[in-house]
Amino acid sequence: MDLGLTDRTYLVTGATRGLGFATARALVADGANVVITGRTEEAAAKAAASLGERALGVAADNTDPEAPARLVAAARDRFGRFDGILVSVGGPAPGTAADNTDAQWQAAFETVFLGAVRFARTAAAELGEGGAIGFVLSGSVYEPIAGLTISNGLRPGLAGFAKSLADEVGPRGIRVVGVLPGRIATDRMNQLDGLSGDPEGSRARNCATIPLRRYGDPEEFGRTAAFLLSPAASYLTGVMVPVDGGARRGF
């Protein structure tokens, strides 16, 4: 299937590893150009080099108000166009309502929520018809996840913002989607499984609750996200797409 990605250019934040990197790799594999961000120039450059000449790595902090415009400009300077964005950030600190501190809530709000809003707002102003804005969210958009209270608080709000933005920019031919990873085998998931003190046991218990009986591969998430950003998904907008092996029980 031709996704129509050839020579299109996308910005993928937080893409030196994990879900962001998997998405960038899928985009490049189908002929797109990508600008990927990381916390340091070294990490961003290394990840971009592994993807080849269609990738540019740039250090950026999602909390920096000037980062979105700078990165869109970098995409246009290097590749001559800007067609979409996937906003991906690391997950907020785990914990319970009683344990999480004000500082943890504030830091998560700045990166997970406000930073994502800024990137999407900038992209919406810069994109034309056929542009796409994607958010990496979480299954906590629909169902709270034990031990991830901050995520449970912020992700549904960001999904609401994405839905509102889809309504606002739809008349201009710009699409907005959310991608909701379930249990995908990333460093983040290894960290969460390790909190139990028995990572292997935790993974086995979690797999037993997933209809496909396994964790997903980052590549499976990346291919889904790349499709959603592509022209092949031209009539999908305002939707939240779970990539979770069937773990969500609702329709």
Side-chain angles (χ1 to χ4, degrees):
M1 181 177 181
D2 181 4
L3 299 183
L5 286 168
T6 301
D7 293 332
R8 295 174 74 87
T9 298
Y10 294 89
L11 169 61
V12 186
T13 71
T16 58
R17 59 179 182 169
L19 302 180
F21 182 76
T23 302
R25 183 162 53 192
L27 289 168
V28 168
D30 258 72
N33 306 309
V34 294
V35 176
I36 63 175
T37 74
R39 295 179 182 177
T40 67
E41 289 286 357
E42 181 181 5
K46 182 178 179 181
S50 72
L51 296 174
E53 62 183 12
R54 286 191 175 273
L56 171 67
V58 182
D61 183 343
N62 275 27
T63 66
D64 178 3
E66 298 181 0
R70 177 169 62 88
L71 291 164
V72 171
R76 287 203 166 114
D77 288 345
R78 174 66 178 269
F79 299 112
R81 58 189 293 171
F82 172 61
D83 297 284
I85 183 172
L86 182 71
V87 185
S88 175
V89 297
T96 66
D99 296 335
N100 288 128
T101 66
D102 285 1
Q104 288 175 320
W105 276 99
Q106 186 67 43
F109 176 77
E110 292 287 343
T111 56
V112 172
F113 194 96
L114 186 56
V117 167
R118 286 196 192 105
F119 270 101
R121 217 165 41 198
T122 299
E126 295 285 343
L127 288 168
E129 185 172 359
I133 299 169
F135 296 88
V136 178
L137 298 174
S138 166
S140 61
V141 163
Y142 290 120
E143 299 172 352
I145 300 172
L148 293 180
T149 299
I150 294 179
S151 179
N152 296 339
L154 297 181
R155 302 290 194 184
L158 194 52
F161 169 79
K163 186 68 172 175
S164 296
L165 185 62
D167 290 343
E168 294 173 17
V169 302
R172 292 167 46 208
I174 300 170
R175 300 182 301 107
V176 183
V177 296
V179 199
L180 316 184
R183 295 190 178 275
I184 310 292
T186 62
D187 291 342
R188 165 73 168 175
M189 195 53 57
N190 290 337
Q191 175 203 16
L192 296 177
D193 283 341
L195 295 176
S196 68
D198 178 16
E200 292 185 4
S202 177
R203 181 163 181 158
R205 289 189 295 274
N206 291 330
C207 285
T209 69
I210 300 170
L212 291 182
R213 294 296 190 268
R214 64 178 178 83
Y215 283 9
D217 292 326
E219 290 75 15
E220 292 176 304
F221 176 92
R223 289 193 294 269
T224 302
F227 165 73
L228 291 171
L229 291 172
S230 78
S234 57
Y235 204 54
L236 287 177
T237 192
V239 295
M240 301 290 121
V241 180
V243 185
D244 64 2
R248 181 171 179 260
R249 294 298 182 259
F251 292 108

